[in-house]
Amino acid sequence: MSQIIKLTIPGDPEYIKVTKTTVGSAASLAGFDYESVEDIKIAVGEACRNITCHGFSGWSEQYDLVCDIDDAGIRIKVTDSDPSHGVKKEIMPCSKCPQEGELGMCIVESVMDDVQILDDSDERAIVMIKRK
């Protein structure tokens, strides 16, 4: 039986912690072991940061996360369809975003079983799968 969690998250980076905790709790309740839950939380944090910040002068106003859990594992899709990225960055740590973004995606790819990056004119998304 599949369980689906859908979240719309404010773009402020402080909410990434809430997102990581929510998805981590869901993964734990679904029976993932401690190490897998920690991997999933790391991947979600990096994906949220990457999809809402990297390559832009501001953060997204909001973004969406869909988490689909079934007996085989967990599928997480983080989507940004905000073209404006109008939430002001207090500091500009992303002056070298392409390098940071690539490192973040390397981390995601190393802890998840399958990762896809979708980028078209309507939306940008990162899809991650972790199998049990």
Side-chain angles (χ1 to χ4, degrees), residues 53-107:
C53 170
H54 291 311
F56 297 98
S57 60
W59 296 87
S60 296
E61 295 290 333
Q62 66 183 29
Y63 59 100
D64 298 310
L65 182 138
V66 176
C67 180
D68 187 355
I69 304 170
D70 61 23
D71 293 338
I74 188 169
R75 179 183 184 272
I76 304 159
K77 182 178 181 183
V78 181
T79 306
D80 174 25
S81 53
D82 176 14
S84 69
H85 288 257
V87 176
K88 183 181 175 192
K89 292 182 181 178
E90 295 300 318
I91 56 174
M92 293 299 287
C94 301
S95 61
K96 296 182 181 177
C97 276
Q99 291 83 9
E100 289 179 350
E102 289 169 12
L103 176 60
M105 288 312 299
C106 285
I107 292 169

Side-chain angles (χ1 to χ4, degrees), residues 3-126:
Q3 297 177 342
I4 298 175
I5 299 168
K6 296 179 181 181
L7 302 171
T8 298
I9 302 123
D12 190 312
E14 293 177 11
Y15 287 96
I16 292 173
K17 293 176 188 173
V18 174
T19 306
K20 289 171 55 174
T21 301
T22 301
V23 174
S25 295
S28 181
L29 290 171
F32 282 90
D33 63 29
Y34 177 79
E35 281 187 32
S36 295
V37 170
E38 291 302 308
D39 287 349
I40 291 166
K41 288 168 55 177
I42 289 167
V44 166
E46 290 298 329
C48 290
R49 228 177 326 284
N50 191 290
I51 204 77
T52 63
C53 170
H54 291 311
F56 297 98
S57 60
W59 296 87
S60 296
E61 295 290 333
Q62 66 183 29
Y63 59 100
D64 298 310
L65 182 138
V66 176
C67 180
D68 187 355
I69 304 170
D70 61 23
D71 293 338
I74 188 169
R75 179 183 184 272
I76 304 159
K77 182 178 181 183
V78 181
T79 306
D80 174 25
S81 53
D82 176 14
S84 69
H85 288 257
V87 176
K88 183 181 175 192
K89 292 182 181 178
E90 295 300 318
I91 56 174
M92 293 299 287
C94 301
S95 61
K96 296 182 181 177
C97 276
Q99 291 83 9
E100 289 179 350
E102 289 169 12
L103 176 60
M105 288 312 299
C106 285
I107 292 169
V108 171
E109 290 169 350
S110 72
V111 299
M112 299 299 278
D113 296 321
D114 188 23
V115 178
Q116 295 177 326
I117 300 171
L118 310 172
D119 194 359
D120 62 33
S121 60
D122 295 328
E123 72 177 11
R124 298 173 60 235
I126 298 171

